[in-house]
Amino acid sequence: MSKKLGALDYHSSGRKGKIEVIATKPCQTAADLSLAYSPGVAEPCLAIQQNPDDAYKYTAKGNLVAVVSNGTAVLGLGNLGALAGKPVMEGKGVLFKRFADIDVFDIELNTENPDEIIKACQLLEPTFGGINLEDIKAPECFYIEETLKKTMNIPVFHDDQHGTAIISSAALLNALQLTGKKIEEIRIVVNGAGASANSCAKLAIALGVKPNNMIMCDTKGVIYKGRVEGMNPYKELFAADTPFRTLEEAAAGADVLFGLSAKGAFTPEMIRSMAPNPIIFAMANPDPEITPEEAHAVRGDVIMATGRSDYPNQVNNVLGFPFIFRGALDVRATAINEEMKLAAVHALAKLTREEVPDSVSKAYGNEKFTFGVNYIIPKPFDPRVLLHVAPAIAQAAMDTGVARQPIEDMAKYIEQLECSQGKSKEVMRMIINKAKSDPKKVVFPEGDNEKILRAAQTLVEEGIAQPILVGDKKKILQKMDELNLDLDVPIVDPTESEHTESYAQELYRRRQRKGLTLTECQRIMRRKSRVQFATMMVAQGHADTLLGGIDTHYPETIRPALQVLGKQAGLSSVHGLYMMVFKKEVYFLADTTVTIDPTAEELAETAILAAEKVAMLGIEPRIAMLSFSNFGSVDHPQTRKVKRAVELVKERAPGLIVEGEMQADTAVVPELLEGFTFSKLKTPANVLIFPDLNSGNICYKLLRRLGGAEAIGPILMGMNKPVHVLQRGDDVNDVVNMAAIAVVDVQNV
């Protein structure tokens, strides 16, 4: 799938757009309704009337930000208008929520009159705790923000200006440290005179750059004292007393080159003319003013940053605005002032110089990050950014007197921030990035299925796996054409493959005393079962793992795999593990998959294999063996079986945290668990082992359909070679996730 179609599909699939409103209080009964609305809602209304600050206590105002735009400067696309800018504003809301748990209403104003935008924002002040201005063109954006900051009593922040400035300034401080240059001695050239360039220049001066060493250029050349053409009051602030008149002249001998302009604005000749150890931040999107390859081809002492994620040192605004607003909201700041911006700069710069934890490396495919020329700014998925920037913002707000609710215990506040970071999506991203570090060959027996083809496109584009499609080659190619997919992957047609006969011979060797003739094996390989064919590819080493079942019933996929590959030596059965992803937590549910009523020995196997798999995914397993009894409260053959299974696990794997037999709510509710002081489980279990296939199957399907969990699985455990099964009805994302798990499974064989 082309990137264009992929983006359109992403936004249009399922519930349209990227955001929704979720109620935070129950409304299930008449009593709930009477509290949520009339008559109960009158009480907080009256309280707020008496004390307006109570709005932060009784409403969502304190965690609600308005993302306001008129669409006059949408990304690098220009004046698209308010409506066309809405996807960007929704996206901003996604990032606020994902990185700082801040709720957002996106507000697109259909006007280019700055005074109308100002009036609209002022009228909205009772609703919001803060306002993020976005994609409003210069110079109007300067006037709008300046006026709102003077007239409103909540923080107003134009991210296009200050976000880029904060991130690039942090990177600049670190680049200067690496080169040994002093900020008060450098000469910096800023190419561009719009919102971002204006703020970058201001912040660099605030950090110590001497004003006359700050040279700003626009499309007409250097902005110098006495220039008349194309000037405005905002450019006039940076008019330098300099003989330079062109960007080329200004770049010669410069220490730093900031690009906030357009593709190709920096030439190799400019780079060659700069001072030793030049710092070049080419931040135009989507294409930088000069690429790192082009710059490094000219000289080897360059330190580069761009706005792109496919190069080191990405200047990404997501490192700023979510955490800046988090800190500002948490102290009920009346503004985001210069001191708060500088605090964010220093917090980001300092964080970059700290040792990077393994969790961050895992999130980026096990790439190692160490402070240096290719790592001068943190990564967006570094969870420590929240813990560094938000407290720095809060502290600066308190220090400068704009905090209406100061934080009394900063250490406790940081702990609260840490607790707010969910583990759900991070787990899957970690798995995907681990898969990307060493992609494996995944064979899909249902190669003509639309979802499989779309997933294969994603797997290739993101480098997660090497898909192999099995099926009628003409049919698959026709389907690709219909879907407009540009997919270059191996297609294996069993009717034409050079291996079909050898596969048939091998299947006959394995199954000749189990009812199959050679003729039947040849028919199976050529036409009857693509699953059998794909399984034989894995058996013969022509693929690393198999992922199938989206078009078939579960037994139709697992039975051929068991017949051809078999289970691991020493195991009594094959087992299954589901990853259930909730908003804030991840649970793993395991059962025996093919054994309806397992023995204690089989349950013990399930627990040990599940623990190994969960640990492989980078999570410490805490195992609960489930029953309808709590530690002997009911004496029954079924409870005795689970009790025996627990004993076997403790004998065979004494290092595991495992308990049981226990009821499901005891395993996951801290208050109930606390009553059993003898239990090895001191915190809720994250791996739940079900006593039979019946209970496990019912539970994970209800959690998926009624409990709002994202179910990933089943992850098969105990096979001789990795094989995984999709569910009928799985979507493209499910296929991608399971493929990533399959690749990681192969990596750990």
Side-chain angles (χ1 to χ4, degrees), residues 130-395:
I131 290 181
N132 184 102
L133 300 172
E134 190 76 17
D135 289 356
I136 301 172
K137 70 182 178 68
E140 290 90 337
C141 61
F142 305 131
Y143 167 61
I144 291 168
E145 187 191 38
E146 288 170 2
T147 305
L148 291 177
K149 288 174 72 172
K150 292 175 183 176
T151 59
M152 297 187 73
N153 205 33
I154 58 175
V156 177
F157 185 80
H158 185 206
D159 187 48
D160 296 325
Q161 292 182 65
H162 312 303
T164 303
I166 288 166
I167 314 309
S168 60
S169 292
L172 175 62
L173 291 182
N174 284 332
L176 291 175
Q177 180 168 322
L178 291 171
T179 60
K181 296 182 179 183
K182 296 180 179 180
I183 195 165
E184 63 271 15
E185 297 176 356
I186 64 169
R187 179 155 60 83
I188 179 170
V189 178
V190 177
N191 191 48
S196 296
N198 180 290
S199 191
C200 284
K202 278 185 178 179
L203 204 52
I205 291 171
L207 286 167
V209 174
K210 291 182 178 179
N212 214 51
N213 282 342
M214 169 67 66
I215 308 297
M216 182 177 284
C217 302
D218 61 11
T219 55
K220 301 183 185 304
V222 172
I223 296 172
Y224 58 89
K225 287 189 182 297
R227 197 183 102 170
V228 176
E229 187 181 9
M231 294 295 286
N232 61 46
Y234 301 101
K235 292 182 183 180
E236 198 68 49
L237 293 172
F238 303 102
D241 185 6
T242 176
F244 302 135
R245 293 295 180 265
T246 66
L247 174 61
E248 290 80 5
E249 292 174 0
D255 298 284
V256 180
L257 203 52
F258 268 21
L260 299 126
S261 50
K263 176 184 178 181
F266 297 161
T267 65
E269 290 72 23
M270 292 180 196
I271 308 305
R272 190 176 290 111
S273 72
M274 291 179 71
N277 301 307
I279 299 165
I280 303 166
F281 291 180
M283 295 177 279
N285 266 319
D287 298 305
E289 285 81 358
I290 189 169
T291 66
E293 295 94 339
E294 291 168 335
H296 289 302
V298 176
R299 53 194 299 176
D301 60 347
V302 173
I303 296 180
M304 279 286 298
T306 70
R308 289 175 54 145
S309 61
D310 52 349
Y311 291 123
N313 302 325
Q314 183 190 18
V315 178
N316 191 328
N317 283 20
V318 79
L319 283 167
F321 66 85
F323 317 110
I324 292 167
F325 270 99
R326 180 75 277 157
L329 292 174
D330 289 342
V331 295
R332 297 188 193 170
T334 57
I336 295 172
N337 56 33
E338 292 305 307
E339 291 84 357
M340 294 162 75
K341 297 172 194 172
L342 289 171
V345 171
H346 289 292
L348 286 168
K350 181 177 181 292
L351 174 59
T352 315
R353 298 192 291 270
E354 294 182 5
E355 184 177 349
V356 182
D358 289 341
S359 61
V360 177
S361 295
K362 288 178 181 177
Y364 288 88
N366 288 323
E367 184 179 352
K368 298 297 181 183
F369 300 109
T370 305
F371 179 56
V373 295
N374 288 323
Y375 182 68
I376 58 174
I377 196 70
K379 293 293 183 180
F381 283 99
D382 188 333
R384 302 172 301 159
V385 178
L386 173 66
L387 310 182
H388 282 66
V389 176
I393 292 292
Q395 188 64 58

Side-chain angles (χ1 to χ4, degrees), residues 506-520:
E506 179 61 20
L507 180 63
Y508 178 61
R509 185 187 70 78
R510 296 180 184 219
R511 305 293 296 174
Q512 60 186 328
R513 293 186 178 274
K514 297 183 185 292
L516 287 183
T517 65
L518 177 59
T519 301
E520 179 68 8

